[in-house]
Amino acid sequence: MNIPESQFHTAQENLKKFWGYSSFWPGQEKAIRAVLEGKDTVVLFPTGGGKSICYQLPATVLDGWALVISPLVALMQDQVEQLLKAGIRATFINSSIPGFEVEQRLINARNGMYSLLYLAPERLDTDLWKQMLPEMNISLVAVDEAHCISQWGHDFRPSYRTIRPALAGLPGKARWMALTATATPEVREDIIQNLQFDNPELIAGGFDRPNLQWWVTHSEQKKKKTVQSVTRGVKLGSGIVYAGTRKSCDEWAKHLSSLKIPAHAYHAGRSSEDRKGIQKGWVEGAFPVVVATNAFGMGIDKPDCRFVIHYDMPYTLEAYYQEAGRAGRDGKEAYPLLLYREGDYHRAKARLLGSYPDLKTLQELYDALCDELNLAVGSEHEHPEPVEVRSVAKRASCKPSVVHSGLKLLERLEIIEIIRQSEPRLGIRFVVSEEVLRETIQKTKPEKAEFLDLLFRQFGPLSFRQIYYLDMPYLTKKLQVNQNSLLKAIRVFSDRDQLLEYHFIDEEPMVRLLESRMATLPSTRKEVEHYRDVLLSKLEYIKGYIETEHCREVYLRQYFGETDARPCGHCDNCLVDKRKQPLDSDQLKQFRELLQKPRTVKELISLTDLPRSRVKQNLQFLIRENHIRKSDQATDAYYWVRAES
């Protein structure tokens, strides 16, 4: 159907009114028109390409409101906060808020008080949602991070595959759209089939980032290269260094700071308050460098990040593209650099295989998890509970890394549900009756009574039957205290007054078994090993990106399904192609001296400190000029055979 031009005109006015933009970014207008026309729409925009406006703007125009399915608590909260600042009514529902507030927000949505409601996909399966769905005036369903639908995706979430059937009871005819920044052709097709899209409008914003200077440096001296690169980078502005482990992040932050380059480490081992402070300080320019694991970056908007350095090799091109793409979101020149030395690929592959459980190990891990949760065979598991990874690892006699991988695999096999939290949580259960608690409140000192009454109101009647969890930031805001003061008060109520028991969790996952405990897992070896094979294939692609001698941007764009990509002209390989020429006399002299005995490409890279592509270009020239030959003793060793003419 065609849309009234007045409706699109309203969208243009709202773009200026709420976002301050006078024109659309590439692809946005086409996506918004498709939604307003009622077409099933798939939006494939790169990181920073403006996906969110494609559903947020129609939500300000259409009758009813937009339901946004999102997998990340932090991303929901961040987007809602930005919408509220812009004057757009929005809210979210996830595991971070108590039951009574969930119900109130759903009632508000039913009464038309919001333009957008963000929801975690697991929420669609709750009794409360199912009960209220027929009364909801939903005009648009936007499935964000839609690659989570696909088993071939790098971030598969089983609950995403049930979105369409869960919303089968939607009244009226809601529009549907799916959005992602990282969808290969296989993932794209999986999204379309699973969401039952009929001849959808496919809008790809293009994965080219013309302002990014894609670069890979091959060097056996990665630490030296990192320091050199950061030193150059901070002259341009702020940046991120991605390192693979918490220990490496801490060491690099300390080392850079000692070199008068202020840097802070960001990883899951830091407290929530520390992570928030580091993020805020970096975004506001208090210090130039964050050294982080892949825990850093999602939902962070810092347009003027000038460089992103990967000290350790990422495991997938999807992850690399998202992380590297955090540079230069203001459209100005920026530098994503990946440092690589011979052996990195083999170490990454060994780590992947070493942490991936086989069927026998997965069974042992499942049994250890159930024992940790005190579940006998046949017992049902009603509510998510925190799981201490190290304790499960000890029970299963395996490494914590295997437990992390095993939990993800059990989730992919739809045996457990993992509640991903971005904030520390406090769980309490009152061990006295509600009547006794109210008597205590009446008899105690006014200040303490007021605090205890407010605490009871937050956790509600459910906390008399089971331990009930709420996010700490929510509680500290409602109770108007800081985290330390709250925990101190809770310990008094528990240890001295014996009114409650509590459990404070920071980074432990929350887990729920989807079926009663089984004696034997129903999965086959083939099913268990399927995702391992997917991960191994993705590792090969990132290796291919590192080793290609052709345009790196073309490699990336073809991976994500673009068939008409042309060389960018500004990545390291394109620049080498532009400069192709015979060796200058100094380089020729250096190669002649080095190749008096057989040398491998790896040795030449190390000894000359040149990029692999440059070394290979030089070798090809010397072979063509008949200066060097390959050794009979080694397949990748060269030696000098003629004097320079």
Side-chain angles (χ1 to χ4, degrees):
M1 66 175 182
N2 293 323
I3 57 171
E5 202 55 36
S6 60
Q7 197 175 46
F8 184 72
H9 181 66
T10 301
Q12 290 177 307
E13 289 180 337
N14 287 355
L15 180 70
K16 179 69 175 178
K17 175 182 176 182
F18 295 120
W19 284 273
Y21 299 142
S22 55
S23 61
F24 291 104
W25 289 9
Q28 286 180 336
E29 179 177 341
K30 187 177 179 183
I32 289 163
R33 282 188 180 275
V35 171
L36 294 177
E37 289 173 8
K39 297 177 181 177
D40 290 338
T41 308
V42 179
V43 174
L44 307 169
F45 284 178
T47 300
K51 294 191 306 299
S52 301
I53 282 182
C54 294
Y55 59 81
Q56 291 173 347
L57 185 55
T60 68
V61 176
L62 296 169
D63 292 332
W65 49 272
L67 173 64
V68 184
I69 310 295
S70 176
L72 299 165
V73 172
L75 206 54
M76 285 188 209
Q77 294 171 337
D78 180 65
Q79 290 207 3
V80 167
E81 187 177 322
Q82 296 303 319
L83 287 167
L84 292 174
K85 285 181 181 177
I88 299 170
R89 298 167 302 163
T91 193
F92 62 85
I93 291 174
N94 55 39
S95 59
S96 70
I97 56 177
F100 70 88
E101 188 149 337
V102 169
E103 184 172 5
Q104 185 59 57
R105 292 186 187 188
L106 286 176
I107 291 170
N108 292 346
R110 183 190 64 193
N111 294 338
M113 293 179 64
Y114 309 121
S115 294
L116 299 101
L117 170 66
Y118 286 75
L119 203 69
E122 292 82 6
R123 283 275 158 185
L124 300 177
D125 194 41
T126 62
D127 291 337
L128 182 60
W129 172 261
K130 291 176 182 177
Q131 176 188 335
M132 298 189 72
L133 178 60
E135 304 173 42
M136 297 298 189
N137 184 20
I138 297 173
S139 56
L140 169 64
V141 178
V143 182
D144 203 5
E145 308 295 337
H147 57 269
C148 295
I149 284 172
S150 178
Q151 291 258 14
W152 290 98
H154 66 292
D155 209 8
F156 174 60
R157 292 277 289 274
S159 55
Y160 258 70
R161 297 189 75 82
T162 64
I163 291 171
R164 190 79 200 208
L167 293 174
L170 268 178
K173 182 170 175 55
R175 297 157 173 82
W176 281 76
M177 70 185 310
L179 309 98
T180 179
T182 52
T184 61
E186 301 98 326
V187 172
R188 190 180 309 171
E189 188 58 33
D190 211 358
I191 291 169
I192 291 169
Q193 288 186 6
N194 182 267
L195 291 177
Q196 302 169 27
F197 282 1
D198 180 25
N199 191 27
E201 188 82 13
L202 185 64
I203 300 155
F207 288 84
D208 61 317
R209 296 283 303 277
N211 62 313
L212 295 189
Q213 315 297 299
W214 299 99
W215 209 274
V216 176
T217 294
H218 297 256
S219 176
E220 293 301 302
Q221 299 177 314
K222 282 173 65 176
K223 291 186 177 179
K224 177 183 175 182
K225 284 290 183 184
T226 301
V227 171
Q228 290 174 346
S229 301
V230 173
T231 302
R232 286 197 295 266
V234 293
K235 292 177 181 177
L236 302 172
S238 58
I240 306 169
V241 178
Y242 280 105
T245 66
R246 300 176 187 181
K247 181 180 178 183
S248 182
C249 291
D250 289 334
E251 289 174 349
W252 267 113
K254 184 177 180 181
H255 182 56
L256 291 172
S257 296
S258 73
L259 298 174
K260 310 300 183 188
I261 302 173
H264 289 270
Y266 183 107
H267 52 69
R270 306 293 297 264
S271 71
S272 175
E273 289 180 327
D274 281 348
R275 292 197 299 270
K276 281 187 175 179
I278 291 165
Q279 175 180 324
K280 186 173 186 289
W282 181 73
V283 168
E284 294 178 353
F287 54 90
V289 180
V290 171
V291 188
T293 62
N294 57 13
F296 181 77
M298 189 60 70
I300 292 172
D301 185 17
K302 184 171 174 59
D304 60 344
C305 175
R306 297 270 66 86
F307 63 93
V308 174
I309 298 171
H310 278 79
Y311 179 74
D312 287 307
M313 172 184 175
Y315 284 72
T316 70
L317 275 177
E318 289 95 335
Y320 179 65
Y321 185 80
Q322 276 197 335
E323 291 162 7
R326 290 178 182 127
R329 292 177 70 166
D330 56 3
K332 297 178 182 177
E333 196 169 78
Y335 300 86
L337 168 64
L338 196 162
L339 294 161
Y340 183 78
R341 64 169 161 243
E342 298 296 326
D344 280 0
Y345 163 76
H346 297 291
R347 279 188 289 273
K349 185 175 182 179
R351 282 198 298 269
L352 192 158
L353 292 173
S355 64
Y356 196 92
D358 56 21
L359 182 56
K360 179 176 178 293
T361 304
L362 191 67
Q363 178 70 56
E364 292 170 351
L365 194 152
Y366 173 77
D367 291 337
L369 172 66
C370 292
D371 290 343
E372 184 77 8
L373 296 169
N374 295 314
L375 293 172
V377 173
S379 299
E380 293 188 353
H381 193 207
E382 294 184 7
H383 305 285
E385 293 183 59
V387 170
E388 192 174 335
V389 169
R390 291 192 177 277
S391 180
V392 175
K394 187 175 180 181
R395 285 179 183 269
S397 300
C398 64
K399 296 177 181 178
S401 61
V402 178
V403 176
H404 282 294
S405 297
L407 290 175
K408 289 180 182 178
L409 181 54
L410 288 170
E411 182 186 36
R412 293 183 78 90
L413 295 169
E414 300 186 52
I415 293 168
I416 67 170
E417 172 190 2
I418 300 176
I419 307 298
R420 289 163 175 81
Q421 50 187 83
S422 61
E423 305 288 359
R425 312 192 84 198
L426 177 67
I428 71 168
R429 182 178 75 87
F430 290 105
V431 296
V432 297
S433 66
E434 186 173 343
E435 184 181 356
V436 170
L437 181 64
R438 292 191 181 281
E439 288 178 2
T440 304
I441 291 171
Q442 290 175 358
K443 293 177 181 178
T444 196
K445 294 179 181 179
E447 187 176 349
K448 182 177 177 181
E450 183 182 354
F451 186 87
L452 187 56
D453 181 58
L454 196 54
L455 186 72
F456 163 60
R457 290 175 183 273
Q458 300 311 309
F459 283 90
L462 192 61
S463 57
F464 288 92
R465 300 194 297 273
Q466 66 186 54
I467 193 158
Y468 187 75
Y469 290 89
L470 292 175
D471 276 10
M472 285 297 284
Y474 170 84
L475 281 171
T476 54
K477 182 180 178 181
K478 289 290 185 180
L479 299 171
Q480 298 184 335
V481 293
N482 61 36
Q483 182 171 299
N484 288 336
S485 298
L486 175 55
L487 289 174
K488 185 177 179 181
I490 292 295
R491 282 192 287 269
V492 170
F493 293 143
S494 172
D495 300 341
R496 192 179 72 187
D497 300 336
Q498 297 186 350
L499 295 172
L500 55 83
E501 61 181 14
Y502 73 95
H503 187 196
F504 174 66
I505 56 175
D506 197 346
E507 57 181 289
E508 301 163 20
M510 298 278 285
V511 172
R512 180 175 73 90
L513 268 63
L514 296 176
E515 303 288 345
S516 56
R517 179 176 178 177
M518 298 169 280
T520 305
L521 290 173
S523 308
T524 65
R525 178 181 174 183
K526 183 178 179 180
E527 289 173 327
V528 168
E529 292 180 353
H530 167 73
Y531 188 53
R532 179 204 65 187
D533 296 337
V534 171
L535 292 175
L536 289 172
S537 71
K538 289 182 179 295
L539 193 64
E540 290 299 321
Y541 277 110
I542 189 77
K543 180 172 180 275
Y545 170 80
I546 290 167
E547 294 184 344
T548 185
E549 295 178 13
H550 304 292
C551 175
R552 298 198 192 280
E553 188 171 286
V554 167
Y555 189 100
L556 285 167
R557 293 171 66 182
Q558 288 179 342
Y559 177 78
F560 290 116
E562 292 189 22
T563 56
D564 58 348
R566 296 179 178 273
C568 67
H570 50 72
C571 70
D572 56 342
N573 285 343
C574 284
L575 291 175
V576 166
D577 286 341
K578 285 181 179 178
R579 295 195 302 262
K580 276 188 176 177
Q581 56 185 348
L583 297 176
D584 61 35
S585 58
D586 289 338
Q587 283 186 329
L588 192 56
K589 181 179 179 181
Q590 182 184 26
F591 268 67
R592 181 175 183 174
E593 291 172 354
L594 291 173
L595 293 172
Q596 294 305 312
K597 66 175 184 177
R599 301 278 191 185
T600 65
V601 172
K602 177 181 175 181
E603 289 173 325
L604 289 169
I605 291 170
S606 177
L607 292 167
T608 63
D609 211 22
L610 291 171
R612 170 183 283 268
S613 56
R614 185 64 172 170
V615 168
K616 284 200 167 186
Q617 177 196 331
N618 295 341
L619 290 173
Q620 288 166 2
F621 170 77
L622 292 171
I623 289 172
R624 189 169 65 245
E625 296 297 311
N626 202 25
H627 288 312
I628 63 172
R629 293 179 184 168
K630 274 195 174 184
S631 170
D632 295 332
Q633 283 73 39
T635 58
D636 192 24
Y638 302 83
Y639 65 97
W640 199 271
V641 293
R642 284 184 56 186
E644 182 182 1
S645 55

